[in-house]
Amino acid sequence: MARPPMRLAPTVATAVAVQAMASAAVLALAPIAPIVAADLDLSPHLIGYQVSLIYLFATIASLFAGAVAGKFGAGTASQFAMAAVAAGLIGLACGWAPGMALASAVIGVGYSLTNPAASEALNRVTPPSARNLVFSIKQTGVPIGGMIAAIVLPVLAVRYGWRVTVAVAAIPALVLAFGLLSVRGGWNENRNPAVSFRANVKEGLALVLGSAPLRALSLMSFLYSATQLSLVSFAVTMLVGEFGWTPVSAGFAAAAIQAAGVAGRLIWGGLADKFDAGVPVLAATGGLATLCAVAMPAIGSFPDAFAIVLLMMMSLASVGWNGVMLAEAARLSPPARAGAVAGGVLMLTFAGVVAGPALFALLYRVLESYSQAYAVFATAPLIGAVVILRAHRRIRRAAQ
């Protein structure tokens, strides 16, 4: 019996759920960093290194992620991702530094599988005229996951302890892994057991490095992702440690940041499709993120509402670009190579996330101010915007 064709709406909904769960796991410790640090007798800024460790392994694993999706199918790869996320969350709850490091690595491997798998599935069912919006909707899973973590985890950690809270967070990941059985057949339709991991790694990198637009997109993604994860990783710690907010109040501020990220992904994706202007939209997000980062030290001089608005505006820009970037990567991909290209581009994306929080933590040690570190970090999205805009203009001139 022939399988029913994959439909767009259920495919998007499933991809969003997988992305949200993976992102919540990546950021599980960020909104409760002061609580975790106090229990382990550590400085809260060290959370930056834990996030960087997750993305270090996501960077390495992304070299093979496209091959996993191609060999086993997008559905099975997504199940692998959820199983790894669940195992990693349980491991974080041990509270033992080496065990938490290993758990962070497992989460990173799981996270690396989500985008190539979703890109392969979505590229089959998305009409070109809606590609930016669809990929942006899928990417709303990142701030949705962060928002859920920011709202739920601080409240539960205060009441039940952070270890129990993080361990229980593994349950939704396991439920989703089993739930994917209902769509795995359709998602796995294009799987090819003959796919070679070694050949796929070379292919993804070759496709990206051999294309000037993809090289520029990857460099921009490196710089933008460094800014994005620095915002979501240190916002709570900045508000609590530098400006005297309570952990719960700062957690709700972090939820507002993530909500703005959801809105940003929808807004930028819609604008990119409406005006057929993916690259100009990407450049605009970098410019806005730069302005907001420069203004960050002013938070202490204004009412709390100013901090919320400023952080939400920065999130709108620095969290909202990913869907348009992935849509551009898919648009530039050769036929049936969207997963491999996504893996190659995301290698540099994740590398930016590795470098970003760790560099931010070093800046904090030098400046002894989170808000000042954000202002210095404003150079990253500015350079990214210039890089992608110049590449776009060169391509347009060459086409004339």
Side-chain angles (χ1 to χ4, degrees):
M1 178 181 291
R3 286 194 193 96
M6 290 173 60
R7 291 181 297 159
L8 179 59
T11 303
V12 173
T14 303
V16 169
V18 170
Q19 189 69 63
M21 187 65 242
S23 299
V26 169
L27 298 174
L29 297 187
I32 56 175
I35 298 172
V36 176
D39 182 54
L40 301 180
D41 194 25
L42 298 171
S43 172
H45 82 276
L46 293 175
I47 189 64
Y49 296 108
Q50 186 263 342
V51 174
S52 290
L53 183 62
I54 289 177
Y55 278 96
L56 172 61
F57 279 88
T59 301
I60 297 169
S62 67
L63 293 172
F64 304 92
V68 172
K71 189 177 186 70
F72 299 103
T76 301
S78 298
Q79 287 183 299
F80 289 162
M82 291 299 93
V85 160
L89 286 169
I90 293 170
L92 286 179
C94 73
W96 179 51
M100 294 177 75
L102 178 60
S104 298
V106 172
I107 291 173
V109 172
Y111 190 82
S112 74
L113 297 173
T114 57
N115 278 308
S119 291
E120 197 283 325
L122 289 174
N123 211 38
R124 281 190 274 147
V125 297
T126 303
S129 61
R131 184 180 285 115
N132 285 287
L133 182 58
V134 167
F135 275 75
S136 293
I137 291 172
K138 179 262 175 187
Q139 284 301 108
T140 61
V142 175
I144 287 173
M147 183 168 54
I148 292 171
I151 292 175
V152 175
L153 296 187
V155 175
L156 294 181
V158 168
R159 179 170 296 185
Y160 301 109
W162 72 269
R163 299 173 195 244
V164 172
T165 297
V166 172
V168 169
I171 295 174
L174 292 173
V175 171
L176 187 52
F178 283 105
L180 284 164
L181 288 170
S182 63
V183 300
R184 189 174 65 177
W187 280 45
N188 285 355
E189 188 173 356
N190 283 1
R191 74 186 183 92
N192 179 8
V195 166
S196 165
F197 283 100
R198 180 178 297 179
N200 191 271
V201 169
K202 293 180 179 178
E203 180 190 32
L205 289 174
L207 288 170
V208 171
L209 296 177
S211 165
L214 284 173
R215 288 198 304 270
L217 192 70
S218 299
L219 178 56
M220 179 216 73
S221 182
F222 172 86
L223 294 165
Y224 281 16
S225 61
T227 306
Q228 175 183 335
L229 262 291
S230 296
L231 171 65
V232 299
S233 298
F234 292 99
V236 168
T237 305
M238 176 184 71
L239 293 174
V240 173
E242 190 167 335
F243 298 114
W245 292 35
T246 67
V248 172
S249 296
F252 278 100
I257 291 171
Q258 299 292 355
V262 174
R265 295 186 183 214
L266 298 177
I267 291 169
W268 303 126
L271 288 174
D273 279 334
K274 182 177 178 61
F275 297 105
D276 191 21
V279 170
V281 164
L282 288 170
T285 65
L288 179 58
T290 298
L291 293 175
C292 292
V294 168
M296 205 68 75
I299 285 178
S301 303
F302 294 91
D304 291 350
F306 172 82
I308 296 293
V309 171
L310 179 62
L311 290 167
M312 289 181 70
M313 289 298 295
M314 185 168 179
S315 177
L316 192 76
S318 65
V319 180
W321 57 275
N322 308 67
V324 178
M325 182 276 291
L326 286 171
E328 283 294 302
R331 182 180 66 82
L332 296 167
S333 300
R337 293 294 182 269
V341 169
V345 171
L346 288 169
M347 183 187 70
L348 277 177
T349 304
F350 293 148
V353 177
V354 172
L359 179 58
F360 192 100
L362 289 174
L363 281 173
Y364 170 76
R365 289 186 65 109
V366 173
L367 301 172
E368 297 185 344
S369 167
Y370 292 104
S371 60
Q372 292 289 347
Y374 278 120
V376 172
F377 234 71
T379 55
L382 178 61
I383 294 171
V386 171
V387 165
I388 194 65
L389 203 55
R390 290 186 63 185
H392 181 63
R393 287 176 176 173
R394 284 196 299 269
I395 293 169
R396 290 186 63 181
R397 284 197 299 268
Q400 291 175 352

